Amino acid sequence: LQLAGEYQALNDEFVQYENQAQKLANDSILIKYAAAKSKVEKLLQELNSEKKKSAARIKELQSEIETLKGILRHYVAQIDLLGKENAGLKAENKKIKNRNAELTSRVEEATRKNEELSERMTLAEKLNVTGLSLTPLKKNGKTEKKVKKAKQLMVTFTIPQNNSTPVGEKIIYMRITSPEGNLLGDAGSFNFEGASLQCSARKIVEYAGEEISDIKIYWDVNTVLNPGEYLVELFADDYRLASKKFTLKN
């Protein structure tokens, strides 16, 4: 009875580890345990069926149960070792994930900085424009105070020195928009940010990296001009160089 109780306790203990048996499914420990368990169960059945218990068979049962205990201890030790190894792997995996996340963050930050630097370098190449002005002119080229009498509109500006801008021929496109929102003139089209825009006039300048002052672009008046706010825009190399509003009086 005592040995039967010990076997039942062993069996109950083994059940606690059954959910982890899959981890050692191909291990010889399980095969040994199953064989020893089978022997113990046969001896118990045999002894239970006998009226007179054999001391030799009881001793054999005791020996088999001890074998079963040893196998179970080894099995539990293996499970514990595997658990520790898994815990170690999980901790290492977490460190690797954290490291990868850190590296990813650094790469993204470096990429962002490179993009910003590239954008700054690209913007640095853009022509600059200063001193933009819009002046109505009379037929003789002098300033006309009343916009309705103007024969020409003159746009004046300066391109400062910029060592980052590539030298060479530059086409400056000018757009003048009336107070009613209409583009004045039609001097052809140009590309800007993937779209085709019409211009009022254009001028070719040779840029050598030095300042070019007092650049003038003219538009001959061919319609009635009303007093109000006029928008002047300058474009070149797919950039809007300047945009400014001017109020012209009657």
Side-chain angles (χ1 to χ4, degrees):
L1 288 175
Q2 181 184 348
L3 291 174
E6 287 184 18
Y7 167 71
Q8 187 59 46
L10 284 172
N11 209 36
D12 291 343
E13 186 177 352
F14 178 76
V15 169
Q16 297 176 14
Y17 295 95
E18 278 187 336
N19 62 336
Q20 300 186 53
Q22 189 176 2
K23 297 177 182 178
L24 298 172
N26 298 321
D27 199 285
S28 60
I29 296 175
L30 292 179
I31 298 173
K32 291 178 181 178
Y33 186 87
K37 180 180 176 181
S38 179
K39 286 183 181 180
V40 170
E41 288 176 346
K42 286 181 181 178
L43 286 169
L44 282 171
Q45 289 175 3
E46 182 182 327
L47 288 168
N48 285 334
S49 64
E50 291 179 355
K51 293 182 180 180
K52 186 178 180 181
K53 310 301 180 187
S54 167
R57 302 299 279 171
I58 291 174
K59 188 173 182 181
E60 186 180 347
L61 175 62
Q62 186 175 18
S63 176
E64 290 296 334
I65 287 176
E66 288 299 321
T67 299
L68 202 58
K69 285 181 181 179
I71 294 172
L72 182 58
R73 280 196 298 270
H74 184 50
Y75 176 72
V76 172
Q78 289 289 91
I79 291 291
D80 289 342
L81 178 61
L82 187 61
K84 289 177 182 178
E85 288 177 352
N86 285 341
L89 288 173
K90 285 180 180 178
E92 186 177 352
N93 188 42
K94 186 176 181 181
K95 287 182 180 179
I96 291 172
K97 284 183 178 179
N98 290 339
R99 179 62 176 166
N100 286 342
E102 182 183 347
L103 289 173
T104 299
S105 177
R106 288 184 181 180
V107 169
E108 289 175 351
E109 179 66 14
T111 301
R112 184 185 62 79
K113 287 182 178 179
N114 285 338
E115 288 175 351
E116 288 179 357
L117 181 59
S118 178
E119 185 177 351
R120 288 177 186 174
M121 290 176 66
T122 302
L123 288 174
E125 295 179 353
K126 186 183 80 168
L127 282 174
N128 294 319
V129 168
T130 60
L132 182 65
S133 66
L134 174 64
T135 307
L137 300 177
K138 297 179 180 180
K139 189 175 182 180
N140 60 6
K142 293 184 178 180
T143 302
E144 173 61 67
K145 292 182 179 180
K146 296 181 178 181
V147 67
K148 281 190 175 183
K149 294 183 178 182
K151 300 301 180 182
Q152 278 186 326
L153 293 181
M154 179 181 70
V155 173
T156 308
F157 57 94
T158 295
I159 296 177
Q161 178 181 348
N162 186 351
N163 295 328
S164 298
T165 301
V167 298
E169 189 179 86
K170 305 290 181 182
I171 303 176
I172 311 297
Y173 298 96
M174 177 184 73
R175 282 170 58 90
I176 303 177
T177 306
S178 70
E180 294 78 24
N182 300 319
L183 178 70
L184 300 180
D186 183 6
S189 62
F190 64 97
N191 292 324
F192 176 65
E193 294 183 348
S196 179
L197 299 181
Q198 296 295 119
C199 66
S200 304
R202 66 180 71 193
K203 187 180 185 70
I204 297 176
V205 297
E206 189 66 34
Y207 185 70
E210 302 295 329
E211 178 180 301
I212 306 176
S213 60
D214 201 30
I215 301 172
K216 294 180 173 63
I217 304 180
Y218 297 91
W219 175 71
D220 294 330
V221 177
N222 57 13
T223 186
V224 177
L225 298 181
N226 296 316
E229 199 171 63
Y230 287 75
L231 173 65
V232 176
E233 298 173 286
L234 297 178
F235 299 82
D237 299 330
D238 205 27
Y239 291 108
R240 180 185 276 109
L241 307 183
S243 178
K244 189 174 181 180
K245 292 180 178 180
F246 298 89
T247 300
L248 301 183
K249 298 179 180 180
N250 191 356

